Amino acid sequence: MNSLVSRLTTKNIVLLGLLVALNLIVAKFLSFGIWSVRISFTFVVTFLMAAWFGPVLAALASGCADIVGTLLSSGQGGYFVGFTISAALAGLVYGISFIKKRLLIGVY
């Protein structure tokens, strides 16, 4: 846990906030849907969160992005906790897959 707290510098918190905002923008404007199926490219933003910050912070940021996105699109349905858990698990799984791997795209 000490490692997690030491990684939460002001720069990293701001970068996570920008990635959450980018996740919302990609989900809202860079997605398309046919009938009841909606296809989005938010996995790219989740990939970047997991590669740069690890599984725990990526899971927290993805969950926060889902909650904020639901609050901003209030006229399109209600909140369902299963979608938030699914988004957090996606960030966690991406982050676990990057453990012990150095990427050339990262901010370390």
Side-chain angles (χ1 to χ4, degrees):
M1 191 65 163
N2 192 15
S3 172
L4 179 67
V5 174
S6 67
R7 293 188 69 179
L8 285 177
T9 62
T10 305
K11 177 183 170 183
N12 288 344
I13 292 172
V14 169
L15 187 57
L16 269 173
L18 287 173
L19 285 171
V20 167
L22 184 64
N23 193 346
L24 296 173
I25 290 169
V26 167
K28 181 73 176 172
F29 297 114
L30 297 178
S31 62
F32 57 93
I34 301 170
W35 297 306
S36 64
V37 177
R38 189 150 187 91
I39 298 173
S40 176
F41 296 102
T42 57
F43 68 91
V44 175
V45 180
T46 306
F47 165 81
L48 291 174
M49 284 186 221
W52 289 344
F53 296 105
V56 176
L57 289 177
L60 289 173
S62 295
C64 288
D66 181 70
I67 291 171
V68 171
T70 303
L71 291 174
L72 290 177
S73 64
S74 61
Q76 297 177 348
Y79 175 72
F80 178 60
V81 71
F83 293 140
T84 304
I85 293 171
S86 175
L89 283 177
L92 187 71
V93 168
Y94 281 144
I96 288 172
S97 67
F98 289 123
I99 289 179
K100 306 252 180 179
K101 293 180 182 162
R102 299 284 292 179
L103 297 178
L104 296 177
I105 61 169
V107 178
Y108 289 98

Short mmCIF file of all heavy atoms in Angstrom, two decimals, residues 20-88:
data_model
loop_
_atom_site.label_atom_id
_atom_site.label_comp_id
_atom_site.label_asym_id
_atom_site.label_seq_id
_atom_site.Cartn_x
_atom_site.Cartn_y
_atom_site.Cartn_z
N VAL A 20 -9.37 9.98 -17.27
CA VAL A 20 -10.80 9.75 -17.00
C VAL A 20 -11.64 10.65 -17.91
O VAL A 20 -12.64 10.20 -18.49
CB VAL A 20 -11.12 9.99 -15.51
CG1 VAL A 20 -12.61 10.08 -15.26
CG2 VAL A 20 -10.52 8.89 -14.66
N ALA A 21 -11.24 11.91 -18.05
CA ALA A 21 -11.97 12.81 -18.95
C ALA A 21 -11.88 12.34 -20.40
O ALA A 21 -12.87 12.39 -21.14
CB ALA A 21 -11.41 14.23 -18.82
N LEU A 22 -10.72 11.86 -20.81
CA LEU A 22 -10.56 11.33 -22.16
C LEU A 22 -11.43 10.09 -22.36
O LEU A 22 -12.01 9.90 -23.43
CB LEU A 22 -9.10 11.01 -22.43
CG LEU A 22 -8.75 10.52 -23.83
CD1 LEU A 22 -9.04 11.61 -24.85
CD2 LEU A 22 -7.30 10.11 -23.89
N ASN A 23 -11.54 9.27 -21.33
CA ASN A 23 -12.41 8.10 -21.39
C ASN A 23 -13.86 8.52 -21.63
O ASN A 23 -14.57 7.92 -22.44
CB ASN A 23 -12.29 7.31 -20.09
CG ASN A 23 -12.91 5.94 -20.17
OD1 ASN A 23 -13.66 5.63 -21.07
ND2 ASN A 23 -12.59 5.12 -19.20
N LEU A 24 -14.30 9.57 -20.94
CA LEU A 24 -15.67 10.06 -21.12
C LEU A 24 -15.88 10.63 -22.52
O LEU A 24 -16.93 10.41 -23.14
CB LEU A 24 -15.99 11.12 -20.07
CG LEU A 24 -16.00 10.65 -18.63
CD1 LEU A 24 -16.15 11.82 -17.69
CD2 LEU A 24 -17.09 9.63 -18.41
N ILE A 25 -14.90 11.35 -23.03
CA ILE A 25 -15.01 11.94 -24.36
C ILE A 25 -15.05 10.85 -25.43
O ILE A 25 -15.85 10.90 -26.36
CB ILE A 25 -13.86 12.93 -24.61
CG1 ILE A 25 -14.04 14.16 -23.73
CG2 ILE A 25 -13.77 13.33 -26.07
CD1 ILE A 25 -12.85 15.08 -23.69
N VAL A 26 -14.19 9.86 -25.29
CA VAL A 26 -14.17 8.76 -26.26
C VAL A 26 -15.48 7.99 -26.21
O VAL A 26 -16.04 7.62 -27.24
CB VAL A 26 -12.96 7.83 -26.00
CG1 VAL A 26 -13.08 6.54 -26.78
CG2 VAL A 26 -11.67 8.54 -26.36
N ALA A 27 -16.00 7.77 -25.00
CA ALA A 27 -17.26 7.02 -24.87
C ALA A 27 -18.43 7.80 -25.45
O ALA A 27 -19.36 7.21 -26.01
CB ALA A 27 -17.52 6.70 -23.40
N LYS A 28 -18.40 9.11 -25.34
CA LYS A 28 -19.53 9.92 -25.81
C LYS A 28 -19.46 10.25 -27.29
O LYS A 28 -20.46 10.14 -28.01
CB LYS A 28 -19.58 11.22 -24.99
CG LYS A 28 -20.70 12.14 -25.33
CD LYS A 28 -22.01 11.61 -24.81
CE LYS A 28 -23.10 12.63 -25.09
NZ LYS A 28 -24.40 12.09 -24.78
N PHE A 29 -18.29 10.63 -27.78
CA PHE A 29 -18.20 11.17 -29.13
C PHE A 29 -17.53 10.24 -30.14
O PHE A 29 -17.76 10.40 -31.33
CB PHE A 29 -17.45 12.52 -29.11
CG PHE A 29 -18.16 13.56 -28.31
CD1 PHE A 29 -17.60 14.05 -27.15
CD2 PHE A 29 -19.39 14.04 -28.71
CE1 PHE A 29 -18.24 15.01 -26.41
CE2 PHE A 29 -20.05 15.00 -27.97
CZ PHE A 29 -19.47 15.49 -26.80
N LEU A 30 -16.70 9.34 -29.70
CA LEU A 30 -16.01 8.46 -30.63
C LEU A 30 -16.53 7.03 -30.56
O LEU A 30 -15.77 6.07 -30.66
CB LEU A 30 -14.50 8.48 -30.36
CG LEU A 30 -13.81 9.81 -30.56
CD1 LEU A 30 -12.34 9.71 -30.22
CD2 LEU A 30 -13.98 10.30 -31.99
N SER A 31 -17.82 6.90 -30.38
CA SER A 31 -18.43 5.59 -30.36
C SER A 31 -19.65 5.61 -31.28
O SER A 31 -20.19 6.66 -31.59
CB SER A 31 -18.84 5.20 -28.94
OG SER A 31 -19.80 6.11 -28.45
N PHE A 32 -20.03 4.45 -31.72
CA PHE A 32 -21.19 4.37 -32.59
C PHE A 32 -22.04 3.19 -32.16
O PHE A 32 -21.57 2.25 -31.52
CB PHE A 32 -20.77 4.25 -34.06
CG PHE A 32 -19.87 3.09 -34.35
CD1 PHE A 32 -20.40 1.88 -34.76
CD2 PHE A 32 -18.50 3.21 -34.21
CE1 PHE A 32 -19.57 0.81 -35.02
CE2 PHE A 32 -17.67 2.14 -34.48
CZ PHE A 32 -18.21 0.94 -34.89
N GLY A 33 -23.31 3.27 -32.48
CA GLY A 33 -24.21 2.23 -32.07
C GLY A 33 -25.20 1.86 -33.15
O GLY A 33 -25.59 2.69 -33.98
N ILE A 34 -25.58 0.61 -33.14
CA ILE A 34 -26.61 0.09 -34.04
C ILE A 34 -27.64 -0.57 -33.14
O ILE A 34 -27.32 -1.51 -32.40
CB ILE A 34 -26.01 -0.92 -35.03
CG1 ILE A 34 -24.93 -0.26 -35.86
CG2 ILE A 34 -27.10 -1.49 -35.92
CD1 ILE A 34 -24.12 -1.22 -36.71
N TRP A 35 -28.86 -0.10 -33.19
CA TRP A 35 -29.96 -0.56 -32.35
C TRP A 35 -29.56 -0.49 -30.89
O TRP A 35 -29.38 0.59 -30.35
CB TRP A 35 -30.43 -1.94 -32.77
CG TRP A 35 -30.99 -1.98 -34.16
CD1 TRP A 35 -31.98 -1.19 -34.65
CD2 TRP A 35 -30.55 -2.80 -35.22
NE1 TRP A 35 -32.20 -1.50 -35.96
CE2 TRP A 35 -31.34 -2.48 -36.33
CE3 TRP A 35 -29.59 -3.79 -35.35
CZ2 TRP A 35 -31.20 -3.10 -37.55
CZ3 TRP A 35 -29.45 -4.41 -36.56
CH2 TRP A 35 -30.25 -4.06 -37.64
N SER A 36 -29.40 -1.61 -30.22
CA SER A 36 -29.09 -1.58 -28.80
C SER A 36 -27.62 -1.90 -28.51
O SER A 36 -27.22 -2.01 -27.35
CB SER A 36 -29.97 -2.58 -28.05
OG SER A 36 -29.69 -3.89 -28.49
N VAL A 37 -26.81 -2.06 -29.55
CA VAL A 37 -25.39 -2.37 -29.37
C VAL A 37 -24.58 -1.10 -29.58
O VAL A 37 -24.74 -0.40 -30.57
CB VAL A 37 -24.95 -3.45 -30.39
CG1 VAL A 37 -23.47 -3.72 -30.25
CG2 VAL A 37 -25.74 -4.72 -30.20
N ARG A 38 -23.71 -0.80 -28.62
CA ARG A 38 -22.87 0.39 -28.72
C ARG A 38 -21.41 -0.04 -28.71
O ARG A 38 -20.97 -0.75 -27.80
CB ARG A 38 -23.15 1.32 -27.56
CG ARG A 38 -22.48 2.65 -27.68
CD ARG A 38 -23.33 3.70 -26.99
NE ARG A 38 -22.81 5.00 -27.22
CZ ARG A 38 -23.17 5.79 -28.21
NH1 ARG A 38 -24.06 5.37 -29.07
NH2 ARG A 38 -22.67 6.98 -28.36
N ILE A 39 -20.66 0.39 -29.70
CA ILE A 39 -19.26 0.03 -29.83
C ILE A 39 -18.42 1.27 -29.57
O ILE A 39 -18.63 2.32 -30.17
CB ILE A 39 -18.97 -0.55 -31.23
CG1 ILE A 39 -19.79 -1.82 -31.43
CG2 ILE A 39 -17.49 -0.83 -31.39
CD1 ILE A 39 -19.74 -2.39 -32.80
N SER A 40 -17.45 1.13 -28.66
CA SER A 40 -16.63 2.26 -28.26
C SER A 40 -15.17 1.84 -28.21
O SER A 40 -14.85 0.66 -28.15
CB SER A 40 -17.08 2.75 -26.88
OG SER A 40 -16.26 3.78 -26.44
N PHE A 41 -14.29 2.81 -28.21
CA PHE A 41 -12.85 2.55 -28.16
C PHE A 41 -12.26 3.00 -26.83
O PHE A 41 -11.11 3.41 -26.75
CB PHE A 41 -12.16 3.25 -29.32
CG PHE A 41 -12.60 2.71 -30.65
CD1 PHE A 41 -13.50 3.39 -31.42
CD2 PHE A 41 -12.13 1.50 -31.10
CE1 PHE A 41 -13.92 2.89 -32.64
CE2 PHE A 41 -12.53 0.97 -32.30
CZ PHE A 41 -13.43 1.68 -33.08
N THR A 42 -13.04 2.89 -25.76
CA THR A 42 -12.54 3.29 -24.45
C THR A 42 -11.49 2.32 -23.90
O THR A 42 -10.80 2.65 -22.95
CB THR A 42 -13.69 3.40 -23.44
OG1 THR A 42 -14.37 2.15 -23.37
CG2 THR A 42 -14.65 4.50 -23.83
N PHE A 43 -11.39 1.14 -24.51
CA PHE A 43 -10.38 0.19 -24.03
C PHE A 43 -8.97 0.74 -24.25
O PHE A 43 -8.05 0.36 -23.52
CB PHE A 43 -10.54 -1.16 -24.73
CG PHE A 43 -10.22 -1.16 -26.19
CD1 PHE A 43 -8.94 -1.45 -26.62
CD2 PHE A 43 -11.19 -0.86 -27.13
CE1 PHE A 43 -8.63 -1.45 -27.98
CE2 PHE A 43 -10.90 -0.87 -28.48
CZ PHE A 43 -9.61 -1.16 -28.91
N VAL A 44 -8.80 1.63 -25.21
CA VAL A 44 -7.48 2.22 -25.45
C VAL A 44 -7.08 3.10 -24.26
O VAL A 44 -5.93 3.05 -23.80
CB VAL A 44 -7.47 3.03 -26.76
CG1 VAL A 44 -6.16 3.74 -26.96
CG2 VAL A 44 -7.80 2.13 -27.94
N VAL A 45 -8.02 3.87 -23.74
CA VAL A 45 -7.74 4.73 -22.59
C VAL A 45 -7.50 3.87 -21.34
O VAL A 45 -6.59 4.16 -20.55
CB VAL A 45 -8.89 5.73 -22.37
CG1 VAL A 45 -8.61 6.62 -21.20
CG2 VAL A 45 -9.13 6.55 -23.63
N THR A 46 -8.28 2.81 -21.18
CA THR A 46 -8.08 1.91 -20.05
C THR A 46 -6.72 1.22 -20.15
O THR A 46 -6.03 1.02 -19.14
CB THR A 46 -9.20 0.86 -20.00
OG1 THR A 46 -10.47 1.54 -19.99
CG2 THR A 46 -9.10 0.01 -18.76
N PHE A 47 -6.32 0.87 -21.36
CA PHE A 47 -5.01 0.29 -21.60
C PHE A 47 -3.90 1.25 -21.14
O PHE A 47 -2.94 0.84 -20.48
CB PHE A 47 -4.88 -0.02 -23.09
CG PHE A 47 -3.48 -0.28 -23.56
CD1 PHE A 47 -2.89 -1.52 -23.39
CD2 PHE A 47 -2.75 0.71 -24.19
CE1 PHE A 47 -1.60 -1.76 -23.83
CE2 PHE A 47 -1.46 0.49 -24.63
CZ PHE A 47 -0.89 -0.76 -24.44
N LEU A 48 -4.04 2.53 -21.49
CA LEU A 48 -3.03 3.51 -21.08
C LEU A 48 -3.00 3.69 -19.57
O LEU A 48 -1.92 3.80 -18.97
CB LEU A 48 -3.30 4.85 -21.77
CG LEU A 48 -3.05 4.88 -23.27
CD1 LEU A 48 -3.49 6.22 -23.84
CD2 LEU A 48 -1.61 4.61 -23.58
N MET A 49 -4.17 3.72 -18.92
CA MET A 49 -4.22 3.82 -17.47
C MET A 49 -3.49 2.64 -16.82
O MET A 49 -2.71 2.81 -15.89
CB MET A 49 -5.67 3.83 -16.98
CG MET A 49 -6.41 5.09 -17.16
SD MET A 49 -8.01 4.91 -16.37
CE MET A 49 -9.05 5.69 -17.56
N ALA A 50 -3.77 1.44 -17.32
CA ALA A 50 -3.17 0.24 -16.74
C ALA A 50 -1.67 0.18 -17.00
O ALA A 50 -0.90 -0.23 -16.13
CB ALA A 50 -3.85 -0.99 -17.30
N ALA A 51 -1.25 0.57 -18.19
CA ALA A 51 0.17 0.52 -18.51
C ALA A 51 0.97 1.54 -17.72
O ALA A 51 2.11 1.27 -17.31
CB ALA A 51 0.37 0.75 -20.01
N TRP A 52 0.40 2.70 -17.47
CA TRP A 52 1.13 3.76 -16.78
C TRP A 52 1.04 3.68 -15.27
O TRP A 52 1.97 4.05 -14.57
CB TRP A 52 0.65 5.12 -17.25
CG TRP A 52 1.05 5.45 -18.65
CD1 TRP A 52 2.00 4.84 -19.40
CD2 TRP A 52 0.49 6.47 -19.46
NE1 TRP A 52 2.06 5.42 -20.64
CE2 TRP A 52 1.15 6.43 -20.71
CE3 TRP A 52 -0.51 7.42 -19.29
CZ2 TRP A 52 0.86 7.29 -21.75
CZ3 TRP A 52 -0.80 8.28 -20.32
CH2 TRP A 52 -0.12 8.22 -21.54
N PHE A 53 -0.12 3.23 -14.74
CA PHE A 53 -0.34 3.35 -13.29
C PHE A 53 -0.55 2.04 -12.56
O PHE A 53 -0.64 2.03 -11.34
CB PHE A 53 -1.53 4.27 -13.03
CG PHE A 53 -1.31 5.66 -13.49
CD1 PHE A 53 -1.92 6.14 -14.63
CD2 PHE A 53 -0.45 6.50 -12.80
CE1 PHE A 53 -1.70 7.42 -15.07
CE2 PHE A 53 -0.22 7.78 -13.23
CZ PHE A 53 -0.84 8.24 -14.37
N GLY A 54 -0.69 0.94 -13.26
CA GLY A 54 -0.85 -0.34 -12.59
C GLY A 54 -2.31 -0.73 -12.41
O GLY A 54 -3.23 0.02 -12.71
N PRO A 55 -2.52 -1.93 -11.87
CA PRO A 55 -3.87 -2.48 -11.82
C PRO A 55 -4.82 -1.77 -10.86
O PRO A 55 -5.99 -1.56 -11.18
CB PRO A 55 -3.67 -3.93 -11.40
CG PRO A 55 -2.30 -4.03 -10.87
CD PRO A 55 -1.52 -2.90 -11.45
N VAL A 56 -4.35 -1.39 -9.69
CA VAL A 56 -5.25 -0.83 -8.68
C VAL A 56 -5.73 0.56 -9.10
O VAL A 56 -6.94 0.85 -9.07
CB VAL A 56 -4.54 -0.77 -7.30
CG1 VAL A 56 -5.42 -0.10 -6.27
CG2 VAL A 56 -4.17 -2.17 -6.85
N LEU A 57 -4.81 1.41 -9.51
CA LEU A 57 -5.21 2.75 -9.93
C LEU A 57 -6.02 2.73 -11.22
O LEU A 57 -6.94 3.53 -11.39
CB LEU A 57 -3.98 3.65 -10.08
CG LEU A 57 -3.30 4.03 -8.77
CD1 LEU A 57 -2.05 4.86 -9.05
CD2 LEU A 57 -4.25 4.79 -7.88
N ALA A 58 -5.71 1.80 -12.12
CA ALA A 58 -6.50 1.68 -13.35
C ALA A 58 -7.92 1.22 -13.03
O ALA A 58 -8.88 1.71 -13.64
CB ALA A 58 -5.83 0.71 -14.31
N ALA A 59 -8.06 0.31 -12.08
CA ALA A 59 -9.39 -0.15 -11.69
C ALA A 59 -10.19 0.98 -11.04
O ALA A 59 -11.37 1.18 -11.35
CB ALA A 59 -9.29 -1.34 -10.75
N LEU A 60 -9.55 1.74 -10.16
CA LEU A 60 -10.24 2.86 -9.51
C LEU A 60 -10.63 3.94 -10.52
O LEU A 60 -11.74 4.47 -10.47
CB LEU A 60 -9.35 3.46 -8.42
CG LEU A 60 -9.16 2.63 -7.16
CD1 LEU A 60 -8.13 3.27 -6.25
CD2 LEU A 60 -10.48 2.47 -6.44
N ALA A 61 -9.72 4.26 -11.43
CA ALA A 61 -10.01 5.30 -12.41
C ALA A 61 -11.09 4.86 -13.39
O ALA A 61 -11.96 5.65 -13.76
CB ALA A 61 -8.73 5.67 -13.16
N SER A 62 -11.08 3.60 -13.80
CA SER A 62 -12.11 3.10 -14.71
C SER A 62 -13.48 3.08 -14.03
O SER A 62 -14.49 3.42 -14.65
CB SER A 62 -11.77 1.70 -15.20
OG SER A 62 -10.61 1.72 -15.97
N GLY A 63 -13.51 2.70 -12.76
CA GLY A 63 -14.76 2.74 -12.01
C GLY A 63 -15.28 4.16 -11.85
O GLY A 63 -16.48 4.41 -12.01
N CYS A 64 -14.38 5.09 -11.56
CA CYS A 64 -14.78 6.50 -11.45
C CYS A 64 -15.28 7.04 -12.78
O CYS A 64 -16.25 7.80 -12.82
CB CYS A 64 -13.62 7.34 -10.94
SG CYS A 64 -13.24 7.07 -9.22
N ALA A 65 -14.63 6.66 -13.87
CA ALA A 65 -15.07 7.11 -15.19
C ALA A 65 -16.46 6.59 -15.50
O ALA A 65 -17.28 7.30 -16.09
CB ALA A 65 -14.07 6.66 -16.25
N ASP A 66 -16.75 5.36 -15.11
CA ASP A 66 -18.09 4.82 -15.35
C ASP A 66 -19.14 5.55 -14.53
O ASP A 66 -20.21 5.88 -15.05
CB ASP A 66 -18.12 3.33 -15.02
CG ASP A 66 -19.48 2.73 -15.27
OD1 ASP A 66 -19.85 2.62 -16.46
OD2 ASP A 66 -20.17 2.39 -14.30
N ILE A 67 -18.84 5.84 -13.28
CA ILE A 67 -19.79 6.54 -12.43
C ILE A 67 -20.04 7.96 -12.94
O ILE A 67 -21.18 8.40 -13.04
CB ILE A 67 -19.30 6.55 -10.96
CG1 ILE A 67 -19.36 5.13 -10.40
CG2 ILE A 67 -20.13 7.50 -10.11
CD1 ILE A 67 -18.71 4.97 -9.05
N VAL A 68 -18.97 8.67 -13.27
CA VAL A 68 -19.12 10.04 -13.78
C VAL A 68 -19.85 10.05 -15.12
O VAL A 68 -20.71 10.91 -15.37
CB VAL A 68 -17.75 10.75 -13.88
CG1 VAL A 68 -17.85 12.07 -14.58
CG2 VAL A 68 -17.16 10.93 -12.50
N GLY A 69 -19.54 9.09 -15.98
CA GLY A 69 -20.23 8.99 -17.26
C GLY A 69 -21.71 8.73 -17.10
O GLY A 69 -22.54 9.26 -17.85
N THR A 70 -22.07 7.91 -16.13
CA THR A 70 -23.48 7.66 -15.86
C THR A 70 -24.17 8.90 -15.32
O THR A 70 -25.31 9.20 -15.69
CB THR A 70 -23.64 6.50 -14.85
OG1 THR A 70 -22.97 5.36 -15.37
CG2 THR A 70 -25.08 6.18 -14.61
N LEU A 71 -23.49 9.64 -14.48
CA LEU A 71 -24.08 10.87 -13.94
C LEU A 71 -24.26 11.94 -15.01
O LEU A 71 -25.23 12.70 -14.98
CB LEU A 71 -23.22 11.42 -12.80
CG LEU A 71 -23.19 10.59 -11.52
CD1 LEU A 71 -22.18 11.18 -10.54
CD2 LEU A 71 -24.58 10.54 -10.89
N LEU A 72 -23.34 11.99 -15.97
CA LEU A 72 -23.44 13.00 -17.03
C LEU A 72 -24.49 12.65 -18.06
O LEU A 72 -25.07 13.55 -18.69
CB LEU A 72 -22.08 13.18 -17.71
CG LEU A 72 -21.01 13.87 -16.88
CD1 LEU A 72 -19.70 13.93 -17.65
CD2 LEU A 72 -21.45 15.26 -16.48
N SER A 73 -24.75 11.38 -18.27
CA SER A 73 -25.77 10.98 -19.25
C SER A 73 -27.02 10.52 -18.51
O SER A 73 -27.48 9.39 -18.67
CB SER A 73 -25.24 9.87 -20.14
OG SER A 73 -24.98 8.72 -19.36
N SER A 74 -27.60 11.42 -17.74
CA SER A 74 -28.71 11.05 -16.87
C SER A 74 -29.99 10.71 -17.63
O SER A 74 -30.83 9.99 -17.13
CB SER A 74 -28.99 12.18 -15.87
OG SER A 74 -29.33 13.35 -16.58
N GLY A 75 -30.17 11.21 -18.82
CA GLY A 75 -31.40 10.96 -19.56
C GLY A 75 -31.40 9.67 -20.33
O GLY A 75 -32.39 9.32 -20.96
N GLN A 76 -30.31 8.91 -20.31
CA GLN A 76 -30.20 7.72 -21.14
C GLN A 76 -30.29 6.43 -20.34
O GLN A 76 -29.88 5.38 -20.80
CB GLN A 76 -28.89 7.75 -21.92
CG GLN A 76 -28.81 8.89 -22.87
CD GLN A 76 -27.48 8.94 -23.57
OE1 GLN A 76 -26.54 8.26 -23.20
NE2 GLN A 76 -27.40 9.76 -24.59
N GLY A 77 -30.79 6.46 -19.16
CA GLY A 77 -30.93 5.24 -18.36
C GLY A 77 -30.42 5.47 -16.96
O GLY A 77 -29.85 6.50 -16.63
N GLY A 78 -30.59 4.48 -16.12
CA GLY A 78 -30.20 4.59 -14.73
C GLY A 78 -28.83 4.00 -14.46
O GLY A 78 -28.17 3.45 -15.34
N TYR A 79 -28.44 4.10 -13.21
CA TYR A 79 -27.15 3.57 -12.78
C TYR A 79 -27.29 2.09 -12.47
O TYR A 79 -28.24 1.66 -11.82
CB TYR A 79 -26.67 4.34 -11.55
CG TYR A 79 -25.41 3.78 -10.96
CD1 TYR A 79 -24.19 3.95 -11.60
CD2 TYR A 79 -25.43 3.06 -9.78
CE1 TYR A 79 -23.03 3.42 -11.07
CE2 TYR A 79 -24.28 2.54 -9.24
CZ TYR A 79 -23.08 2.72 -9.89
OH TYR A 79 -21.94 2.19 -9.37
N PHE A 80 -26.32 1.30 -12.91
CA PHE A 80 -26.28 -0.12 -12.60
C PHE A 80 -24.88 -0.45 -12.12
O PHE A 80 -23.89 -0.22 -12.83
CB PHE A 80 -26.64 -0.95 -13.84
CG PHE A 80 -26.57 -2.42 -13.63
CD1 PHE A 80 -27.36 -3.04 -12.68
CD2 PHE A 80 -25.72 -3.20 -14.39
CE1 PHE A 80 -27.30 -4.41 -12.47
CE2 PHE A 80 -25.65 -4.57 -14.20
CZ PHE A 80 -26.45 -5.17 -13.24
N VAL A 81 -24.78 -0.97 -10.91
CA VAL A 81 -23.48 -1.20 -10.30
C VAL A 81 -22.69 -2.28 -11.03
O VAL A 81 -21.45 -2.30 -10.99
CB VAL A 81 -23.64 -1.53 -8.80
CG1 VAL A 81 -24.25 -2.91 -8.60
CG2 VAL A 81 -22.33 -1.41 -8.07
N GLY A 82 -23.35 -3.16 -11.75
CA GLY A 82 -22.65 -4.20 -12.48
C GLY A 82 -21.75 -3.65 -13.57
O GLY A 82 -20.67 -4.20 -13.83
N PHE A 83 -22.16 -2.56 -14.21
CA PHE A 83 -21.32 -1.94 -15.24
C PHE A 83 -20.08 -1.30 -14.62
O PHE A 83 -19.00 -1.32 -15.21
CB PHE A 83 -22.11 -0.91 -16.04
CG PHE A 83 -23.20 -1.51 -16.88
CD1 PHE A 83 -24.43 -0.88 -16.98
CD2 PHE A 83 -23.02 -2.69 -17.56
CE1 PHE A 83 -25.44 -1.41 -17.76
CE2 PHE A 83 -24.02 -3.24 -18.33
CZ PHE A 83 -25.24 -2.60 -18.43
N THR A 84 -20.23 -0.75 -13.44
CA THR A 84 -19.08 -0.16 -12.75
C THR A 84 -18.09 -1.24 -12.34
O THR A 84 -16.87 -1.08 -12.50
CB THR A 84 -19.54 0.63 -11.51
OG1 THR A 84 -20.48 1.61 -11.92
CG2 THR A 84 -18.38 1.30 -10.82
N ILE A 85 -18.59 -2.35 -11.83
CA ILE A 85 -17.72 -3.47 -11.47
C ILE A 85 -17.02 -4.01 -12.71
O ILE A 85 -15.82 -4.32 -12.68
CB ILE A 85 -18.52 -4.56 -10.74
CG1 ILE A 85 -18.99 -4.04 -9.39
CG2 ILE A 85 -17.70 -5.82 -10.57
CD1 ILE A 85 -19.97 -4.93 -8.67
N SER A 86 -17.75 -4.09 -13.81
CA SER A 86 -17.15 -4.57 -15.06
C SER A 86 -16.04 -3.64 -15.55
O SER A 86 -14.98 -4.10 -15.99
CB SER A 86 -18.23 -4.70 -16.13
OG SER A 86 -17.68 -5.04 -17.36
N ALA A 87 -16.25 -2.34 -15.46
CA ALA A 87 -15.23 -1.38 -15.88
C ALA A 87 -14.01 -1.47 -14.97
O ALA A 87 -12.86 -1.43 -15.44
CB ALA A 87 -15.80 0.03 -15.86
N ALA A 88 -14.24 -1.60 -13.66
CA ALA A 88 -13.12 -1.71 -12.72
C ALA A 88 -12.35 -3.02 -12.95
O ALA A 88 -11.11 -3.02 -12.90
CB ALA A 88 -13.63 -1.63 -11.28
#
